[in-house]
């Protein structure tokens, strides 16, 4: 067995993922924008997520210490009821959809995740949580498509859904000119709630 490279790093965050049918609703609403603005740097639909804590570039060896505490946290927290609504942008460059529902619970969960990360010895100086789902990024100075698409989502309201799992995710952002990809390092189910589970709420 090969010895892991002690200098290897991975970009890591903790997130929630909408189920497939909720993502499909939003993707349908974005259909005209996909056709009109193919040069936007669209995020893959299967990678859509709501970030709770962005941990940045970590040594690969630091990641295992997060697994058990995150698993224990998820196992003792009930699912949140959330939904996707509307659209907006950050500095006319980053297109996003908003999040509605149990925002008090969402902020509490994010605070617990961030406290846990610090207790695991991972330095964390995160920004205040602004719940959103990033959809696309502008290319260079061409910001008009982002602004136009955000406006087109003003009336969008998706169905509500229960959060299914807490995800520890790795990404390749900043590792070359290719598309951004995310992968589940691991994920953990929240305390079971009544009703059928959400389908497909994960990263591939």
């Amino acid at each position: 067995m090969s010895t892991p490279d002690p200098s290897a790093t991975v970009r890591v965050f903790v997130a929630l993922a909408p189920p497939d049918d909720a993502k499909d609703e939003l993707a349908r609403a974005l259909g005209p924008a996909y056709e009109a603005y193919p040069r936007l740097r669209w995020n893959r639909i299967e990678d859509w997520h709501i970030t709770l804590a962005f941990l940045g570039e970590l040594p690969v060896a630091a990641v295992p210490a997060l697994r058990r505490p995150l698993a224990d946290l998820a196992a003792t927290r009930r699912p949140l009821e959330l939904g996707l609504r509307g659209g907006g942008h950050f500095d006319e460059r980053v297109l996003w959809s908003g999040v509605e529902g149990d925002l008090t619970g969402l902020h509490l969960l994010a605070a617990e995740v961030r406290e846990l990360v610090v207790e695991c010895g991972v330095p964390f100086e995160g920004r205040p949580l602004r719940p959103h789902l990033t959809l696309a990024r502008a290319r260079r100075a061409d910001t008009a498509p982002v602004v136009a698409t955000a406006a087109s989502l003003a009336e969008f309201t998706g169905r509500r859904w229960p959060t299914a799992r807490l995800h520890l995710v790795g990404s390749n952002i900043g590792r070359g000119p290719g598309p951004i990809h995310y992968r589940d390092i691991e994920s953990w189910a929240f305390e079971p709630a009544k009703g059928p589970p959400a389908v497909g709420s994960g990263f591939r």
Side-chain angles (χ1 to χ4, degrees):
M1 181 181 297
S2 61
T3 302
D5 180 357
S7 66
T9 62
V10 60
R11 187 162 290 199
V12 178
F13 59 91
V14 181
L16 304 173
D20 285 349
D21 55 354
K23 291 187 286 191
D24 288 344
E25 278 186 313
L26 180 53
R28 286 193 294 271
L30 286 167
Y34 285 143
E35 292 187 11
Y37 309 120
R39 287 187 53 77
L40 273 181
R41 295 176 58 204
W42 292 102
N43 284 12
R44 300 190 312 164
I45 294 172
E46 56 265 42
D47 289 338
W48 284 354
H49 63 273
I50 302 165
T51 300
L52 300 176
F54 179 72
L55 311 186
E57 201 81 19
L58 298 182
V60 170
V63 174
L66 296 167
R67 294 175 185 261
R68 176 49 56 190
L70 287 171
D72 291 344
L73 176 64
T76 58
R77 297 296 179 272
R78 303 286 288 180
L80 304 174
E81 185 179 84
L82 301 176
L84 301 174
R85 182 174 183 177
H89 55 80
F90 297 133
D91 298 325
E92 299 185 352
R93 299 196 59 81
V94 178
L95 173 69
W96 49 260
S97 179
V99 179
E100 65 175 4
D102 186 2
L103 297 183
T104 298
L106 183 61
H107 280 271
L108 177 60
L109 177 62
E112 290 176 320
V113 166
R114 294 172 181 210
E115 181 179 358
L116 179 155
V117 165
V118 173
E119 290 175 353
C120 289
V122 176
F124 181 78
E125 297 180 1
R127 300 174 180 176
L129 182 68
R130 298 177 63 180
H132 67 280
L133 187 153
T134 299
L135 301 171
R137 291 170 173 80
R139 291 186 182 274
R140 298 183 180 179
D142 186 14
T143 60
V146 166
V147 176
T149 305
S152 76
L153 291 175
E155 302 302 319
F156 173 77
T157 300
R159 73 167 187 86
R160 297 290 182 93
W161 38 270
T163 54
R165 304 182 72 84
L166 184 66
H167 298 264
L168 181 64
V169 186
S171 81
N172 68 339
I173 293 177
R175 297 175 184 269
I180 297 169
H181 291 290
Y182 303 100
R183 62 177 180 85
D184 256 340
I185 296 172
E186 195 165 344
S187 69
W188 305 272
F190 288 107
E191 181 183 358
K194 294 181 180 180
V199 175
S201 53
F203 300 81
R204 295 187 288 275

